[in-house]
Amino acid sequence: MSFRNFSAPWWFLLLVAIGALVVGYVMVQRMRRKRTLRFTNLELLEKVAPRGPSRLRHIPAIVLVLALMLLTTAMAGPTAEQRVPRNRATVMLVIDVSLSMEATDVAPTRLKAAQVAAKSFAEGLTPGVNLGLITFAGTATVLVAPTTDRGGVAKAIDNLKLAQSTATGEAIFAALQSIDGFSQVVGGPDGPPPARIVLMSDGKQTIPTENEDDPRGSFTAAKAAAERKIPITTISFGTADGTVEIEGRTQSVAVDDDAMKEIASLSAGDFYKAATADQLRKVYDTLGEQIGYEIKEADASRPWLILGTIAALIAAAGSLVLSQRLP
């Protein structure tokens, strides 16, 4: 029950009328007592007059005043911060499918763990959010354009295939292009829907060759996202001990936390570290809450209206029981 903000506070002027009713009630009770005291033979009055009601008779009136105050508060339109499902928002889920995702430092493999967590994220996202899917290795591929159909996204996640190289910048640019195209279709008088990119990667960019500031590099792409006010939430997935077998040679595929942090920072997004499948699942759960819902000032008059109505009914019932009439 909120008592902080009100959309129509002028309704509280009714409290003056309620106060006048209270004053009137007290005056009527005093006048009744004065009329009783005029009858000088009090012993005879007690014999011929029915026994007067006890002080309990005032309870219905008190409860009625309380009901009026509660109903007045409801009419004043109290509001409170509430979690409201997002509608129209666009989220592009960008997943690294480079060969490093075959590392087993996260059981059973980085890719398998990522698939399970990503599917859970997609299926748990609020229905009003449009979700798209992009994978990247040497190039970026838009597997699913933004849609509210979670089935297509889940199926695409199940069918992820590994490939060579890591073109992180190209993936971000592809996500921005998808968001722009979708916004042109669904944009209305309120402008394009809010958008966010969720980037999950385990390795350092290799295309362009270890130069994130290249015109097609990840840092340049992150700056472009910032200009469009599209934050990038990055998930650095894996450990420093990861290795894979490539052409018969064991190669280290340590996770690159620094690059992922910088991408998030440049785009005004958030950075998360996940070294296990369970941590990755928790990150996605957190993102689902953050992306799927927003905090808004919403109407909170219902509890006041319910309590006011109940109090009014109690006042009416009490008056019938104690004085055989309605207040």
Side-chain angles (χ1 to χ4, degrees):
M1 295 179 65
S2 174
F3 201 78
R4 295 187 304 167
N5 300 314
F6 296 88
S7 59
W10 53 84
W11 280 106
F12 280 121
L13 292 174
L14 287 178
L15 293 177
V16 176
I18 295 173
L21 287 176
V22 173
V23 173
Y25 180 82
V26 173
M27 292 178 64
V28 168
Q29 296 303 314
R30 289 183 176 179
M31 291 173 61
R32 181 180 298 172
R33 180 175 177 81
K34 288 180 179 179
R35 287 197 299 268
T36 302
L37 291 176
R38 289 174 187 168
F39 199 98
T40 55
N41 193 336
L42 297 179
E43 292 183 0
L44 179 60
L45 177 63
E46 291 179 355
K47 292 180 181 180
V48 300
R51 180 177 296 276
S54 68
R55 293 182 178 180
L56 293 176
R57 72 184 187 279
H58 299 302
I59 292 179
I62 294 173
V63 177
L64 179 60
V65 169
L66 176 61
L68 292 174
M69 294 175 65
L70 290 170
L71 293 173
T72 298
T73 303
M75 289 189 294
T79 61
E81 290 187 347
Q82 296 181 13
R83 291 172 66 253
V84 180
R86 290 185 189 272
N87 292 314
R88 298 179 68 243
T90 306
V91 177
M92 292 303 300
L93 181 57
V94 182
I95 299 179
D96 183 354
V97 291
S98 59
L99 294 180
S100 58
M101 290 289 285
E102 200 171 17
T104 58
D105 55 335
V106 180
T109 66
R110 291 179 180 179
L111 179 63
K112 293 295 183 182
Q115 287 175 303
V116 173
K119 280 185 64 177
S120 177
F121 169 74
E123 293 168 355
L125 204 57
T126 51
V129 174
N130 295 284
L131 179 64
L133 177 65
I134 291 176
T135 60
F136 70 99
T139 59
T141 304
V142 179
L143 297 182
V144 182
T147 177
T148 55
D149 179 15
R150 304 292 185 254
V153 176
K155 184 177 180 180
I157 291 174
D158 282 334
N159 295 323
L160 296 184
K161 303 296 182 182
L162 298 176
Q164 290 184 347
S165 304
T166 306
T168 310
E170 292 295 340
I172 297 173
F173 280 121
L176 293 175
Q177 186 174 4
S178 293
I179 291 171
D180 289 343
F182 183 73
S183 298
Q184 292 177 5
V185 175
V186 302
D190 296 331
R196 180 182 299 198
I197 297 171
V198 178
L199 170 67
M200 195 207 73
S201 179
D202 68 341
K204 187 177 182 64
Q205 170 184 288
T206 60
I207 298 178
T209 307
E210 299 188 10
N211 184 2
E212 289 85 352
D213 288 317
D214 184 278
R216 302 301 293 180
S218 58
F219 292 174
T220 305
K223 293 173 184 176
E227 292 174 357
R228 292 174 170 82
K229 296 183 179 180
I230 300 175
I232 303 175
T233 296
T234 60
I235 305 173
S236 187
F237 183 47
T239 69
D241 302 323
T243 59
V244 292
E245 293 288 335
I246 299 178
E247 297 179 353
R249 297 172 57 188
T250 300
Q251 295 189 16
S252 172
V253 286
V255 68
D256 187 1
D257 292 338
D258 292 338
M260 299 295 278
K261 287 180 181 177
E262 186 65 14
I263 292 171
S265 176
L266 290 172
S267 65
D270 301 311
F271 167 79
Y272 292 91
K273 167 71 176 174
T276 66
D278 186 56
Q279 288 178 359
L280 181 62
R281 179 185 58 78
K282 289 180 180 179
V283 168
Y284 273 125
D285 288 345
T286 300
L287 291 178
E289 289 293 314
Q290 293 178 350
I291 296 173
Y293 296 88
E294 57 185 328
I295 303 299
K296 284 188 173 181
E297 285 288 329
D299 178 69
S301 61
R302 185 178 177 86
W304 297 96
L305 182 61
I306 292 174
L307 288 178
T309 302
I310 292 174
L313 292 174
I314 292 174
S319 182
L320 286 174
V321 170
L322 296 174
S323 57
Q324 290 77 52
R325 59 184 176 85
L326 291 174

